Amino acid sequence: MSGPTPPTTGAVVELTGGAVAIAGRPILRGIDLVVRSGEFVALMGANGSGKSTLVRALTGLHPLAAGSLWLFGTPYDDFHDWRRVGYVPQRGSAASGIPASVWEVVASGRLTHRPLFRPLGRADRAAISDALEVVGLADRATDGVSTLSGGQQQRVLIARALAGQPELFFLDEPTAGVDLPNQQMLADSLSILSGRGATIVLVAHELGPMAPLIDRAVVMRDGRITYDGPPLTHEQVHRADHADLAMVHVDHVDHGHHHDEPARHDHAPHVAAPLDGPERGSSR
């Protein structure tokens, strides 16, 4: 659902008054959020706060019941350039029960760049190789995905999204259940993407090694945004889960070092997308 109001200058995603209902029951309400080009935003909150529901709405798995949405300055209903958007779902098996090599799974991320059944070209192969390098799995390209650890498989899913060379990434709890070495590898990969100018929205309960990368934190509670501002420690997020930080501020926020203009807050992304494969059905 989109409205006629032009988006905020520099906004990659702008959602105003967003709401989601499932089986008639309101899940998200009053979601307003702007994500600007080049920002690294952490969407945080306790289990059940609505952050994963929001991301599924942003990736087209749940329709908006209300709200006005713009992507890259285009009303959502008119936006079709999904190559610009990448999505990594909550952790699941990258193999999906189908025997496949790491390279084959990552190569599937190029489907939005070529007609069906068209052979991979030089640009496709270069993008696949680059994606594998970024996530540190170039030496495992010919290995079966099923032989990898859970953390390595999560890196394969990030590489698959990266192979499509999107400008905007949504990652839904990529470090959940992942050991610390693989969390650090994920952080290193996202640092490279951020350094290239990508816009990243990361859903996380805890940031771990991701913490130094974050420009801005958005905390959710009971289907609403209660905080939008500078990055928070885990303890501060925990307190946000148990206090009404809406009273603290969504009106006095520094949105990080990427932007000099005054920020609008209480804002969150929405993306609908034929971006992903079987893992898109994961729920939380």
Side-chain angles (χ1 to χ4, degrees):
M1 183 179 298
S2 303
T5 304
T8 299
T9 301
V12 172
V13 179
E14 181 166 358
L15 176 64
T16 303
V20 170
I22 299 176
R25 181 169 67 93
I27 303 297
L28 304 178
R29 49 208 177 277
I31 301 293
D32 297 327
L33 187 102
V34 167
V35 178
R36 291 178 175 82
S37 179
E39 278 193 304
F40 197 133
V41 177
L43 181 60
M44 307 184 72
N47 292 341
S49 62
K51 59 188 188 297
S52 288
T53 298
L54 176 57
V55 165
R56 286 195 290 271
L58 304 180
T59 52
L61 295 174
H62 289 318
L64 283 176
S68 175
L69 172 71
W70 295 66
L71 299 174
F72 294 97
T74 301
Y76 172 76
D77 292 340
D78 298 329
F79 182 78
H80 304 293
D81 195 4
W82 293 110
R83 293 180 298 178
R84 304 178 74 180
V85 183
Y87 169 61
V88 180
Q90 285 189 24
R91 183 184 171 195
S93 171
S96 301
I98 302 173
S101 69
V102 169
W103 193 93
E104 289 169 333
V105 172
V106 175
S108 69
R110 294 296 296 175
L111 291 175
T112 58
H113 284 260
R114 57 193 177 87
L116 194 62
F117 304 123
R118 177 182 172 182
L120 292 169
R122 181 178 299 176
D124 298 311
R125 294 180 182 277
I128 295 164
S129 295
D130 177 68
L132 288 168
E133 288 285 351
V134 168
V135 302
L137 290 174
D139 61 337
R140 304 297 299 270
T142 60
D143 292 354
V145 172
S146 60
T147 68
L148 303 184
S149 69
Q152 290 170 328
Q153 289 193 21
Q154 190 67 8
R155 285 153 57 192
V156 170
L157 295 180
I158 291 176
R160 181 178 65 182
L162 176 58
Q165 299 177 314
E167 301 166 48
L168 169 65
F169 285 84
F170 288 93
L171 300 102
D172 193 357
E173 303 217 39
T175 60
V178 174
D179 61 27
L180 188 57
N182 274 293
Q183 287 185 34
Q184 186 60 60
M185 287 296 300
L186 288 168
D188 293 345
S189 301
L190 295 182
S191 178
I192 293 172
L193 298 185
S194 183
R196 292 177 176 181
T199 305
I200 300 173
V201 177
L202 170 73
V203 176
H205 185 62
E206 297 183 42
L207 293 175
M210 307 283 186
L213 306 176
I214 304 302
D215 295 319
R216 181 173 140 219
V218 175
V219 180
M220 296 192 67
R221 181 186 180 202
D222 297 331
R224 295 181 183 273
I225 292 174
T226 58
Y227 174 90
D228 184 342
L232 299 174
T233 66
H234 175 63
E235 179 59 30
Q236 288 172 321
V237 173
H238 178 73
R239 290 201 300 269
D241 291 338
H242 297 282
D244 187 3
L245 287 197
M247 301 301 293
V248 177
H249 61 285
V250 279
D251 292 321
H252 306 285
V253 176
D254 174 3
H255 283 290
H257 61 266
H258 286 293
H259 312 284
D260 296 324
E261 60 188 300
R264 291 174 53 186
H265 357 281
D266 273 39
H267 295 287
H270 171 140
V271 173
L275 297 173
D276 201 42
E279 292 82 9
R280 291 185 64 209
S282 68
S283 61
R284 182 140 181 236

